[in-house]
Amino acid sequence: MSKVDVFRALHLKRAQGDPLVLPGPWDAASARVFAEAGFPALATPSAGVAACLGYEDGATPADEMFAAVARIARAVDVPVSADVEGGYGLAPKELVERLLEAGAVGCNLEDSDGGVLKDAHAHAEFLAEVRSAAADRLFVNARVDTFVHGDGDPERAIERAALYRAAGADCVYPILAPAAVLPLLRSGIQGPLNMLARLDAEGPSPAALGELGATRVTFGPGLQRRATATLREIAAGLR
């Protein structure tokens, strides 16, 4: 079974309360830590990789992002999905080729640009072209930015998600959706549903998000930021 088939299978028939937990490595060393801990797959966070490379979130040049993803994918044997933001303006065929060359089995693609939601129908067409170019070689996770750059209306998120699923997206990701609306999202969205978990005490645990309907759980740049905070404490202690 290929890595993408393994990755796709990990999303299927998940028991309630047992979501697929995907840590977000920001470099090869962190990827090895997560793989050695037993996680069956990983999902890079664009913001975490940007911080590692010395860029602000959203400012990483495409070549550097793909190179970083390639280093991470080479460092581990488990499947790696890559957050490639909005696709860096690449045509779908080139975007797919760059992802496959980097060794990624999947990708996140967001539906906003510069803090503004894209036209959902136009974005669905883009996703359909990505799916056509990729066939079954990539697992496409369509980010829905209604809760971060829109009005936060769950029904609008469900409408956008339906368009993206119809276009061939394997999974949808309503980033920053409050846990309280997760049951509503789950009832209205077909297929795998990605939710963002916070690492502080205020956020629901991955298992709790699974109980509410999440198929998979990611952390965005949270793990990289936690590691940086720990390193800052160590550095302060050394002084």
Side-chain angles (χ1 to χ4, degrees):
M1 185 181 290
S2 68
K3 281 187 177 181
V4 67
D5 289 335
V6 169
F7 189 65
R8 186 170 284 110
L10 288 170
H11 293 77
L12 303 178
K13 298 179 180 178
R14 305 293 310 186
Q16 188 170 355
D18 181 33
L20 173 61
V21 177
L22 297 176
W26 52 94
D27 60 11
S30 59
R32 289 195 183 104
V33 168
F34 296 135
E36 290 168 2
F39 290 97
L42 308 173
T44 69
S46 60
V49 173
C52 178
L53 297 175
Y55 293 101
E56 295 296 322
D57 184 19
T60 308
D63 286 350
E64 293 198 43
M65 182 62 76
F66 286 114
V69 170
R71 287 191 293 271
I72 289 168
R74 284 198 305 267
V76 294
D77 293 328
V78 299
V80 174
S81 182
D83 181 348
V84 288
E85 304 176 281
Y88 307 110
L90 299 174
K93 186 175 184 296
E94 183 179 359
L95 175 61
V96 168
E97 289 173 351
R98 297 288 301 268
L99 283 162
L100 294 174
E101 287 171 0
V105 301
C107 63
N108 278 15
L109 288 168
E110 57 197 50
D111 68 344
S112 63
D113 183 21
V116 178
L117 286 176
K118 298 177 182 177
D119 176 82
H121 292 276
H123 188 61
E125 291 179 6
F126 172 71
L127 292 173
E129 292 176 10
V130 171
R131 166 55 65 219
S132 177
D136 292 328
R137 296 178 296 169
L138 287 174
F139 185 97
V140 178
N141 187 34
R143 206 177 89 173
V144 179
D145 286 1
T146 305
F147 296 96
V148 60
H149 296 309
D151 61 7
D153 184 345
E155 294 297 340
R156 291 180 188 269
I158 290 171
E159 290 169 3
R160 296 176 80 88
L163 287 172
Y164 304 158
R165 283 284 291 162
D170 298 283
C171 183
V172 293
Y173 178 19
I175 188 170
L176 295 184
V181 305
L182 180 49
L184 175 59
L185 295 174
R186 176 70 284 170
S187 68
I189 294 174
Q190 299 299 312
L193 179 60
N194 188 155
M195 286 291 286
L196 178 73
R198 295 171 55 179
L199 296 175
D200 56 44
E202 297 178 16
S205 67
L209 290 172
E211 289 287 353
L212 292 171
T215 308
R216 82 182 209 179
V217 173
T218 53
F219 303 89
L223 292 162
Q224 181 269 330
R225 290 173 180 172
R226 173 70 69 85
T228 298
T230 299
L231 186 58
R232 188 174 292 116
E233 293 176 2
I234 294 172
L238 294 175
R239 295 190 65 185

